[in-house]
Amino acid sequence: MNIFVQMWRSIFRTGFSDSPVHRVFRVMGNFIFHLHPARVSKEGIKITHTFCLGGLSAFFFVVTAITGGVLMIYYTPDVDKAYANMLDLENVVPFGMFMRNLHRYAAHAMVIVVPLHMLRVFLTSSYKSPREFNWVIGVGLLLMTFLLSFTGYLLPWDQLSYWAVTVGTTMAENTPILGAKGPFSVLGPETDVRFLTLGGTSIDQPTLIRFYFAHCIGLPGALVGLMALHFWRVRKAGGISRPL
Ligand code: HEM
């Protein structure tokens, strides 16, 4: 057999005939199709059942991850450089402003689409057995989505960033038990959740580096892990639920 044909066939399984059992083999042999179980119900994959909101959430995440990777090339998490990097991205770097906008709008889209997907799952009762644990994973995904937006907000290091994070971390300071000023507080101002978030008692270099790590590595990594678990659970539950 020609070496190229052999190479091609080792990657792409082809040559199945059109019988029910071969259709199953075709699904099982393809990475993308494999995300779905071998058999899916016709009603379950109707666009009006899911409105593709889960798929759109994943799509917007991929767009933010790719554009974020490009932005990382031009950004330094240093309080003396971060804002200047932003101005350079807007005025000097070719397509810099386009990349920033694409990143921002895809992130906004995620914040809109993920809760809509959650609402769809709720309205179609798809959180019920055997999908209860996937709902719990979904709550984790929602939290990660919001935290990604919050941590990304500080990175431009402008007035908007500074005051938004001041508001957010002051709220943290007032949370019950974990915040130094919250009801039933057990921690002091130098050990509470605000201190942990800021890396000190004010917004400064340690805050920027913490937020940068969380935004670019920690949270996207956790989101990818949870997404893999989420898709795997959808598959193990026998695919997308059927309409009631
Ligand atoms: C980054 C966020 C998320 C992504 C990328 C995502 C992705 C997906 C995808 C692709 C599906 C297949 C069906 C569909 O497209 O609707 C799905 C199903 C599901 N999702 Fe999500 N999801 C996310 C967040 C959430 C949240 C916040 C919840 C709820 C708290 C949730 C709960 C579920 C459940 C229970 C199913 C199974 C639904 C069914 O079988 O009909 N997901 N998700």
Side-chain angles (χ1 to χ4, degrees), residues 36-238:
H36 295 285
R39 283 166 168 273
V40 281
S41 72
K42 245 186 196 170
E43 308 94 327
I45 52 172
K46 261 191 185 157
I47 190 81
T48 47
H49 180 51
T50 63
F51 294 99
C52 202
L53 290 165
L56 281 173
S57 310
F59 169 74
F60 286 123
F61 173 69
V62 171
V63 175
T64 39
I66 294 172
T67 49
V70 175
L71 293 174
M72 276 175 84
I73 298 171
Y74 294 97
Y75 180 82
T76 321
D78 177 334
V79 291
D80 295 325
K81 293 185 184 148
Y83 184 62
N85 287 167
M86 285 298 127
L87 295 181
D88 281 352
L89 269 164
E90 282 179 20
N91 303 309
V92 184
V93 177
F95 300 107
M97 193 62 198
F98 178 67
M99 277 297 146
R100 258 194 94 183
N101 282 339
L102 211 57
H103 189 69
R104 185 177 283 254
Y105 289 132
H108 289 343
M110 253 187 105
V111 171
I112 296 166
V113 168
V114 172
L116 284 178
H117 166 60
M118 188 173 176
L119 184 68
R120 186 293 286 177
V121 171
F122 178 73
L123 292 178
T124 55
S125 298
S126 306
Y127 54 85
K128 290 184 181 167
S129 175
R131 298 180 174 82
E132 311 95 313
F133 185 57
N134 220 9
W135 175 269
V136 176
I137 298 169
V139 173
L141 285 168
L142 183 75
L143 193 72
M144 298 289 144
T145 305
F146 291 156
L147 285 176
L148 270 167
S149 282
F150 180 63
T151 50
Y153 220 74
L154 184 71
L155 304 189
W157 203 250
D158 54 13
Q159 285 291 313
L160 209 58
S161 312
Y162 185 88
W163 294 108
V165 172
T166 302
V167 172
T169 51
T170 306
M171 284 163 76
E173 191 184 22
N174 285 280
T175 49
I177 307 165
L178 296 178
K181 289 187 184 162
F184 316 112
S185 162
V186 285
L187 302 163
E190 302 221 329
T191 44
D192 77 338
V193 69
R194 176 173 184 262
F195 188 89
L196 187 81
T197 315
L198 294 181
T201 48
S202 61
I203 300 174
D204 215 323
Q205 181 62 51
T207 321
L208 184 58
I209 204 75
R210 269 168 205 234
F211 276 53
Y212 178 74
F213 170 77
H215 189 74
C216 302
I217 299 170
L219 292 168
L223 198 92
V224 167
L226 283 182
M227 255 163 64
L229 211 57
H230 196 59
F231 297 158
W232 179 75
R233 285 300 329 164
V234 170
R235 198 183 180 298
K236 290 292 152 188

